[in-house]
PDB file of all heavy atoms in Angstrom:
ATOM      1  N   PRO A 296     217.665  65.839 105.805  1.00  0.00           N
ATOM      2  CA  PRO A 296     219.080  65.770 106.086  1.00  0.00           C
ATOM      3  C   PRO A 296     219.332  65.344 107.542  1.00  0.00           C
ATOM      4  O   PRO A 296     218.488  65.467 108.425  1.00  0.00           O
ATOM      5  CB  PRO A 296     219.551  67.213 105.840  1.00  0.00           C
ATOM      6  CG  PRO A 296     218.316  68.038 105.908  1.00  0.00           C
ATOM      7  CD  PRO A 296     217.174  67.165 105.534  1.00  0.00           C
ATOM      8  N   SER A 297     220.513  64.804 107.790  1.00  0.00           N
ATOM      9  CA  SER A 297     220.903  64.469 109.171  1.00  0.00           C
ATOM     10  C   SER A 297     222.339  65.038 109.405  1.00  0.00           C
ATOM     11  O   SER A 297     223.069  65.270 108.465  1.00  0.00           O
ATOM     12  CB  SER A 297     220.832  62.983 109.459  1.00  0.00           C
ATOM     13  OG  SER A 297     221.603  62.300 108.486  1.00  0.00           O
ATOM     14  N   ALA A 298     222.643  65.232 110.716  1.00  0.00           N
ATOM     15  CA  ALA A 298     223.982  65.852 111.053  1.00  0.00           C
ATOM     16  C   ALA A 298     224.361  65.517 112.502  1.00  0.00           C
ATOM     17  O   ALA A 298     223.487  65.246 113.320  1.00  0.00           O
ATOM     18  CB  ALA A 298     223.903  67.377 110.958  1.00  0.00           C
ATOM     19  N   ALA A 299     225.655  65.386 112.649  1.00  0.00           N
ATOM     20  CA  ALA A 299     226.169  65.306 114.050  1.00  0.00           C
ATOM     21  C   ALA A 299     226.516  66.804 114.485  1.00  0.00           C
ATOM     22  O   ALA A 299     227.204  67.529 113.768  1.00  0.00           O
ATOM     23  CB  ALA A 299     227.434  64.500 114.029  1.00  0.00           C
ATOM     24  N   LEU A 300     226.000  67.166 115.626  1.00  0.00           N
ATOM     25  CA  LEU A 300     226.361  68.442 116.240  1.00  0.00           C
ATOM     26  C   LEU A 300     227.433  68.193 117.252  1.00  0.00           C
ATOM     27  O   LEU A 300     227.532  67.129 117.802  1.00  0.00           O
ATOM     28  CB  LEU A 300     225.105  69.078 116.879  1.00  0.00           C
ATOM     29  CG  LEU A 300     223.947  69.467 115.950  1.00  0.00           C
ATOM     30  CD1 LEU A 300     222.840  70.051 116.832  1.00  0.00           C
ATOM     31  CD2 LEU A 300     224.370  70.393 114.855  1.00  0.00           C
ATOM     32  N   PRO A 301     228.283  69.144 117.591  1.00  0.00           N
ATOM     33  CA  PRO A 301     229.412  68.858 118.440  1.00  0.00           C
ATOM     34  C   PRO A 301     229.041  68.415 119.888  1.00  0.00           C
ATOM     35  O   PRO A 301     229.749  67.629 120.434  1.00  0.00           O
ATOM     36  CB  PRO A 301     230.201  70.135 118.535  1.00  0.00           C
ATOM     37  CG  PRO A 301     229.423  71.181 117.779  1.00  0.00           C
ATOM     38  CD  PRO A 301     228.415  70.514 117.020  1.00  0.00           C
ATOM     39  N   PHE A 302     227.927  68.916 120.422  1.00  0.00           N
ATOM     40  CA  PHE A 302     227.378  68.518 121.737  1.00  0.00           C
ATOM     41  C   PHE A 302     228.261  69.052 122.870  1.00  0.00           C
ATOM     42  O   PHE A 302     227.716  69.406 123.930  1.00  0.00           O
ATOM     43  CB  PHE A 302     227.246  66.978 121.891  1.00  0.00           C
ATOM     44  CG  PHE A 302     226.513  66.527 123.107  1.00  0.00           C
ATOM     45  CD1 PHE A 302     225.180  66.976 123.361  1.00  0.00           C
ATOM     46  CD2 PHE A 302     227.079  65.648 123.971  1.00  0.00           C
ATOM     47  CE1 PHE A 302     224.530  66.523 124.486  1.00  0.00           C
ATOM     48  CE2 PHE A 302     226.369  65.199 125.117  1.00  0.00           C
ATOM     49  CZ  PHE A 302     225.161  65.586 125.318  1.00  0.00           C
ATOM     50  N   THR A 303     229.568  68.977 122.779  1.00  0.00           N
ATOM     51  CA  THR A 303     230.469  69.583 123.838  1.00  0.00           C
ATOM     52  C   THR A 303     231.738  70.063 123.162  1.00  0.00           C
ATOM     53  O   THR A 303     231.928  69.842 122.000  1.00  0.00           O
ATOM     54  CB  THR A 303     230.673  68.549 124.990  1.00  0.00           C
ATOM     55  OG1 THR A 303     231.443  69.296 125.997  1.00  0.00           O
ATOM     56  CG2 THR A 303     231.457  67.364 124.573  1.00  0.00           C
ATOM     57  N   VAL A 304     232.632  70.581 123.963  1.00  0.00           N
ATOM     58  CA  VAL A 304     233.903  71.066 123.470  1.00  0.00           C
ATOM     59  C   VAL A 304     234.691  69.816 122.929  1.00  0.00           C
ATOM     60  O   VAL A 304     234.801  68.867 123.629  1.00  0.00           O
ATOM     61  CB  VAL A 304     234.687  71.840 124.543  1.00  0.00           C
ATOM     62  CG1 VAL A 304     236.097  72.193 124.066  1.00  0.00           C
ATOM     63  CG2 VAL A 304     233.936  73.050 125.005  1.00  0.00           C
ATOM     64  N   GLY A 305     235.203  69.943 121.699  1.00  0.00           N
ATOM     65  CA  GLY A 305     235.950  68.758 121.118  1.00  0.00           C
ATOM     66  C   GLY A 305     235.107  67.937 120.246  1.00  0.00           C
ATOM     67  O   GLY A 305     235.592  66.989 119.580  1.00  0.00           O
ATOM     68  N   GLY A 306     233.772  68.164 120.192  1.00  0.00           N
ATOM     69  CA  GLY A 306     232.872  67.304 119.433  1.00  0.00           C
ATOM     70  C   GLY A 306     232.900  67.590 117.940  1.00  0.00           C
ATOM     71  O   GLY A 306     232.202  66.946 117.120  1.00  0.00           O
ATOM     72  N   ASP A 307     233.717  68.555 117.511  1.00  0.00           N
ATOM     73  CA  ASP A 307     233.947  68.845 116.124  1.00  0.00           C
ATOM     74  C   ASP A 307     235.325  69.470 116.095  1.00  0.00           C
ATOM     75  O   ASP A 307     235.806  70.184 117.067  1.00  0.00           O
ATOM     76  CB  ASP A 307     232.882  69.892 115.710  1.00  0.00           C
ATOM     77  CG  ASP A 307     232.990  70.334 114.232  1.00  0.00           C
ATOM     78  OD1 ASP A 307     233.916  71.102 113.910  1.00  0.00           O
ATOM     79  OD2 ASP A 307     232.122  69.855 113.407  1.00  0.00           O
ATOM     80  N   ASP A 308     236.063  69.312 114.990  1.00  0.00           N
ATOM     81  CA  ASP A 308     237.437  69.870 114.951  1.00  0.00           C
ATOM     82  C   ASP A 308     237.488  71.397 115.237  1.00  0.00           C
ATOM     83  O   ASP A 308     238.419  71.896 115.721  1.00  0.00           O
ATOM     84  CB  ASP A 308     238.072  69.590 113.577  1.00  0.00           C
ATOM     85  CG  ASP A 308     238.393  68.158 113.398  1.00  0.00           C
ATOM     86  OD1 ASP A 308     238.380  67.435 114.438  1.00  0.00           O
ATOM     87  OD2 ASP A 308     238.661  67.769 112.262  1.00  0.00           O
ATOM     88  N   ASP A 309     236.393  72.047 114.803  1.00  0.00           N
ATOM     89  CA  ASP A 309     236.347  73.488 115.034  1.00  0.00           C
ATOM     90  C   ASP A 309     235.760  73.970 116.370  1.00  0.00           C
ATOM     91  O   ASP A 309     235.795  75.080 116.751  1.00  0.00           O
ATOM     92  CB  ASP A 309     235.494  74.193 113.931  1.00  0.00           C
ATOM     93  CG  ASP A 309     236.181  74.009 112.552  1.00  0.00           C
ATOM     94  OD1 ASP A 309     237.398  73.886 112.548  1.00  0.00           O
ATOM     95  OD2 ASP A 309     235.477  73.945 111.563  1.00  0.00           O
ATOM     96  N   ALA A 310     235.202  73.014 117.099  1.00  0.00           N
ATOM     97  CA  ALA A 310     234.605  73.366 118.428  1.00  0.00           C
ATOM     98  C   ALA A 310     235.681  73.201 119.553  1.00  0.00           C
ATOM     99  O   ALA A 310     235.688  72.228 120.291  1.00  0.00           O
ATOM    100  CB  ALA A 310     233.397  72.483 118.710  1.00  0.00           C
ATOM    101  N   THR A 311     236.509  74.136 119.561  1.00  0.00           N
ATOM    102  CA  THR A 311     237.711  73.980 120.469  1.00  0.00           C
ATOM    103  C   THR A 311     237.574  74.581 121.829  1.00  0.00           C
ATOM    104  O   THR A 311     238.384  74.350 122.728  1.00  0.00           O
ATOM    105  CB  THR A 311     239.002  74.593 119.774  1.00  0.00           C
ATOM    106  OG1 THR A 311     238.644  75.931 119.452  1.00  0.00           O
ATOM    107  CG2 THR A 311     239.378  73.822 118.532  1.00  0.00           C
ATOM    108  N   ASP A 312     236.546  75.436 121.996  1.00  0.00           N
ATOM    109  CA  ASP A 312     236.282  76.036 123.303  1.00  0.00           C
ATOM    110  C   ASP A 312     234.764  76.289 123.419  1.00  0.00           C
ATOM    111  O   ASP A 312     233.990  75.934 122.448  1.00  0.00           O
ATOM    112  CB  ASP A 312     237.139  77.326 123.577  1.00  0.00           C
ATOM    113  CG  ASP A 312     236.820  78.443 122.493  1.00  0.00           C
ATOM    114  OD1 ASP A 312     235.772  78.280 121.779  1.00  0.00           O
ATOM    115  OD2 ASP A 312     237.597  79.373 122.378  1.00  0.00           O
ATOM    116  N   LEU A 313     234.312  76.886 124.511  1.00  0.00           N
ATOM    117  CA  LEU A 313     232.881  77.062 124.671  1.00  0.00           C
ATOM    118  C   LEU A 313     232.312  77.995 123.630  1.00  0.00           C
ATOM    119  O   LEU A 313     231.141  77.791 123.152  1.00  0.00           O
ATOM    120  CB  LEU A 313     232.614  77.620 126.092  1.00  0.00           C
ATOM    121  CG  LEU A 313     232.840  76.652 127.236  1.00  0.00           C
ATOM    122  CD1 LEU A 313     232.798  77.313 128.578  1.00  0.00           C
ATOM    123  CD2 LEU A 313     231.855  75.488 127.234  1.00  0.00           C
ATOM    124  N   TYR A 314     233.022  78.977 123.202  1.00  0.00           N
ATOM    125  CA  TYR A 314     232.452  79.899 122.159  1.00  0.00           C
ATOM    126  C   TYR A 314     232.336  79.189 120.855  1.00  0.00           C
ATOM    127  O   TYR A 314     231.293  79.303 120.196  1.00  0.00           O
ATOM    128  CB  TYR A 314     233.424  81.136 122.055  1.00  0.00           C
ATOM    129  CG  TYR A 314     233.427  81.959 123.291  1.00  0.00           C
ATOM    130  CD1 TYR A 314     234.402  81.771 124.370  1.00  0.00           C
ATOM    131  CD2 TYR A 314     232.458  82.933 123.536  1.00  0.00           C
ATOM    132  CE1 TYR A 314     234.429  82.497 125.468  1.00  0.00           C
ATOM    133  CE2 TYR A 314     232.473  83.692 124.722  1.00  0.00           C
ATOM    134  CZ  TYR A 314     233.460  83.443 125.679  1.00  0.00           C
ATOM    135  OH  TYR A 314     233.439  84.174 126.856  1.00  0.00           O
ATOM    136  N   SER A 315     233.396  78.541 120.416  1.00  0.00           N
ATOM    137  CA  SER A 315     233.304  77.893 119.081  1.00  0.00           C
ATOM    138  C   SER A 315     232.327  76.695 119.075  1.00  0.00           C
ATOM    139  O   SER A 315     231.745  76.345 118.096  1.00  0.00           O
ATOM    140  CB  SER A 315     234.692  77.443 118.555  1.00  0.00           C
ATOM    141  OG  SER A 315     235.414  76.785 119.573  1.00  0.00           O
ATOM    142  N   LEU A 316     232.117  76.165 120.308  1.00  0.00           N
ATOM    143  CA  LEU A 316     231.095  75.096 120.451  1.00  0.00           C
ATOM    144  C   LEU A 316     229.724  75.579 119.875  1.00  0.00           C
ATOM    145  O   LEU A 316     229.064  74.929 119.022  1.00  0.00           O
ATOM    146  CB  LEU A 316     230.925  74.638 121.880  1.00  0.00           C
ATOM    147  CG  LEU A 316     229.719  73.782 122.290  1.00  0.00           C
ATOM    148  CD1 LEU A 316     229.716  72.503 121.504  1.00  0.00           C
ATOM    149  CD2 LEU A 316     229.721  73.487 123.702  1.00  0.00           C
ATOM    150  N   PHE A 317     229.263  76.761 120.293  1.00  0.00           N
ATOM    151  CA  PHE A 317     228.038  77.284 119.813  1.00  0.00           C
ATOM    152  C   PHE A 317     228.097  77.887 118.401  1.00  0.00           C
ATOM    153  O   PHE A 317     227.130  77.810 117.664  1.00  0.00           O
ATOM    154  CB  PHE A 317     227.404  78.273 120.869  1.00  0.00           C
ATOM    155  CG  PHE A 317     226.957  77.541 122.088  1.00  0.00           C
ATOM    156  CD1 PHE A 317     227.828  77.457 123.232  1.00  0.00           C
ATOM    157  CD2 PHE A 317     225.780  76.828 122.087  1.00  0.00           C
ATOM    158  CE1 PHE A 317     227.417  76.764 124.384  1.00  0.00           C
ATOM    159  CE2 PHE A 317     225.410  76.171 123.255  1.00  0.00           C
ATOM    160  CZ  PHE A 317     226.247  76.072 124.436  1.00  0.00           C
ATOM    161  N   ASP A 318     229.224  78.495 118.067  1.00  0.00           N
ATOM    162  CA  ASP A 318     229.388  78.920 116.681  1.00  0.00           C
ATOM    163  C   ASP A 318     229.191  77.798 115.710  1.00  0.00           C
ATOM    164  O   ASP A 318     228.464  77.885 114.739  1.00  0.00           O
ATOM    165  CB  ASP A 318     230.908  79.456 116.512  1.00  0.00           C
ATOM    166  CG  ASP A 318     231.144  80.830 117.126  1.00  0.00           C
ATOM    167  OD1 ASP A 318     230.154  81.531 117.364  1.00  0.00           O
ATOM    168  OD2 ASP A 318     232.247  81.196 117.412  1.00  0.00           O
ATOM    169  N   VAL A 319     229.859  76.680 116.013  1.00  0.00           N
ATOM    170  CA  VAL A 319     229.760  75.542 115.124  1.00  0.00           C
ATOM    171  C   VAL A 319     228.365  74.948 115.128  1.00  0.00           C
ATOM    172  O   VAL A 319     227.798  74.540 114.073  1.00  0.00           O
ATOM    173  CB  VAL A 319     230.792  74.430 115.540  1.00  0.00           C
ATOM    174  CG1 VAL A 319     230.626  73.115 114.696  1.00  0.00           C
ATOM    175  CG2 VAL A 319     232.201  75.001 115.311  1.00  0.00           C
ATOM    176  N   THR A 320     227.718  74.813 116.276  1.00  0.00           N
ATOM    177  CA  THR A 320     226.384  74.202 116.384  1.00  0.00           C
ATOM    178  C   THR A 320     225.452  74.998 115.518  1.00  0.00           C
ATOM    179  O   THR A 320     224.667  74.425 114.664  1.00  0.00           O
ATOM    180  CB  THR A 320     225.901  74.272 117.863  1.00  0.00           C
ATOM    181  OG1 THR A 320     226.830  73.448 118.662  1.00  0.00           O
ATOM    182  CG2 THR A 320     224.522  73.708 118.045  1.00  0.00           C
ATOM    183  N   ILE A 321     225.442  76.346 115.639  1.00  0.00           N
ATOM    184  CA  ILE A 321     224.534  77.150 114.875  1.00  0.00           C
ATOM    185  C   ILE A 321     224.849  77.114 113.365  1.00  0.00           C
ATOM    186  O   ILE A 321     223.970  77.020 112.465  1.00  0.00           O
ATOM    187  CB  ILE A 321     224.448  78.576 115.433  1.00  0.00           C
ATOM    188  CG1 ILE A 321     223.775  78.436 116.815  1.00  0.00           C
ATOM    189  CG2 ILE A 321     223.682  79.522 114.518  1.00  0.00           C
ATOM    190  CD1 ILE A 321     223.807  79.695 117.652  1.00  0.00           C
TER     191      ILE A 321
END
Side-chain angles (χ1 to χ4, degrees):
S297 53
L300 298 180
F302 190 57
T303 185
V304 175
D307 180 286
D308 287 348
D309 295 331
T311 53
D312 60 14
L313 289 170
Y314 294 93
S315 48
L316 167 61
F317 290 97
D318 285 337
V319 172
T320 300
I321 290 169

